[in-house]
Amino acid sequence: MTAKKKVNNFSELYEATVSGDSLLSGFIKGHLVVEFLLVKIVEIGQPKLLDLADGLNHNRLIQLVYGLGHINDGQRDTLLLINQMRNKFAHQLTFTPTIQEIEQVLLKASNSFSDFTDGISQGLDEIKGKKSINDCDEWVFPELFVQISYDLHSVYTDLGGHMEDF
């Protein structure tokens, strides 16, 4: 489990507020892309459930798409693990995932999602021997989400969605 970092003074709070954090923004954007695609899957697969899907939290949206049979057990579990990490980002001001937490997500994703452009395997290679995500290239999380989005987009198109337009 990741130890919470304390904010010890106003200067640290200020720095956390104004500093650009590519890790955080890449992860949150990726999470939003996943959510967008999950809603699109419901919209194309079960249009009458769109209002329900729009009102669900991310965890329940994942469970809905899984219950409709559009993602498998491994994909559901990977997305739930990602959502747990997103919740830590959202509720812990100074959260930074450990290499072990990142490796867990990447390994789960590598067993559940296609790795069309080797982004997941390259992410696993990138974190090897690193002590902190801050020692890694910034593309690790965005590339993970790209790989996941390929599979979710494929589900969408298999259900009759247009390849390019939503």
Side-chain angles (χ1 to χ4, degrees):
M1 174 167 235
T2 306
K4 281 188 178 180
K5 293 181 213 165
K6 286 178 58 177
V7 174
N8 295 306
N9 55 54
F10 187 75
S11 293
E12 290 178 4
L13 181 62
Y14 175 82
E15 183 61 31
T17 303
V18 299
S19 64
D21 188 338
S22 60
L23 172 65
L24 174 62
S25 63
F27 197 91
I28 297 300
K29 283 182 182 179
H31 189 272
L32 288 169
V33 165
V34 167
E35 186 168 311
F36 177 85
L37 287 167
L38 291 174
V39 169
K40 286 299 186 184
I41 289 168
V42 172
E43 180 180 34
I44 196 78
Q46 295 289 327
K48 291 182 179 182
L49 296 179
L50 180 58
D51 286 341
L52 171 69
D54 277 336
L56 295 176
N57 68 28
H58 197 79
N59 185 306
R60 289 192 173 137
L61 179 58
I62 294 165
Q63 297 294 359
L64 174 61
V65 174
Y66 171 74
L68 292 171
H70 299 310
I71 58 175
N72 63 39
D73 291 345
Q75 291 169 328
R76 178 201 60 200
D77 294 347
T78 302
L79 295 177
L80 290 172
L81 186 60
I82 287 169
N83 192 55
Q84 289 172 0
M85 189 175 287
R86 197 276 329 170
N87 288 342
K88 291 178 185 179
F89 275 114
H91 299 289
Q92 297 176 25
L93 182 61
T94 60
F95 175 70
T96 302
T98 65
I99 290 294
Q100 293 77 21
E101 288 171 314
I102 295 163
E103 181 179 42
Q104 182 183 16
V105 169
L106 288 168
L107 284 171
K108 194 165 278 294
S110 73
N111 292 321
S112 306
F113 289 93
S114 304
D115 198 7
F116 290 116
T117 61
D118 296 327
I120 297 170
S121 62
Q122 289 172 1
L124 284 165
D125 289 343
E126 175 63 20
I127 66 170
K128 280 184 186 164
K130 305 282 174 50
K131 295 192 184 315
S132 166
I133 185 64
N134 298 322
D135 298 333
C136 299
D137 282 333
E138 293 179 354
W139 54 261
V140 172
F141 280 133
E143 191 58 35
L144 165 69
F145 287 109
V146 166
Q147 301 308 312
I148 291 170
S149 69
Y150 283 142
D151 279 13
L152 295 178
H153 184 257
S154 180
V155 170
Y156 172 78
T157 58
D158 288 350
L159 290 168
H162 190 272
M163 178 63 99
E164 186 60 30
D165 298 324
F166 287 111

